[in-house]
Amino acid sequence: MMEDWYFGGMHWIWWGLWIILIFWIFLIPYPTPGQKRKKDSAMEILRERFARGEISEEEFEQRKKLLRENKKK
């Protein structure tokens, strides 16, 4: 009779580990296709536009200063 339950406890441990592994895989906060991205901050957008050459250095500095002033308020 005891021989039937010899690995019973280990069986539940393995099921628990698989469930934890599956939840961990699906609950990791990383971008997946079709998932909405967080909106970029204004400063990140400004830096990207400057890096792409869409705005001049003077305009970049002016807008950066304006963003910092608005952040303090």
Side-chain angles (χ1 to χ4, degrees), residues 5-33:
W5 291 96
Y6 186 73
F7 290 107
M10 193 64 179
H11 175 74
W12 289 109
I13 291 172
W14 282 112
W15 272 107
L17 289 174
W18 278 112
I19 290 170
I20 290 169
L21 179 68
I22 290 169
F23 276 114
W24 180 65
I25 289 171
F26 288 108
L27 295 178
I28 292 177
Y30 60 89
T32 57

Side-chain angles (χ1 to χ4, degrees), residues 37-48 52:
R37 288 182 49 200
K38 291 182 180 178
K39 292 195 174 200
D40 293 333
S41 71
M43 188 63 79
E44 289 175 14
I45 294 170
L46 184 62
R47 286 185 184 126
E48 287 176 8
R52 286 191 297 248

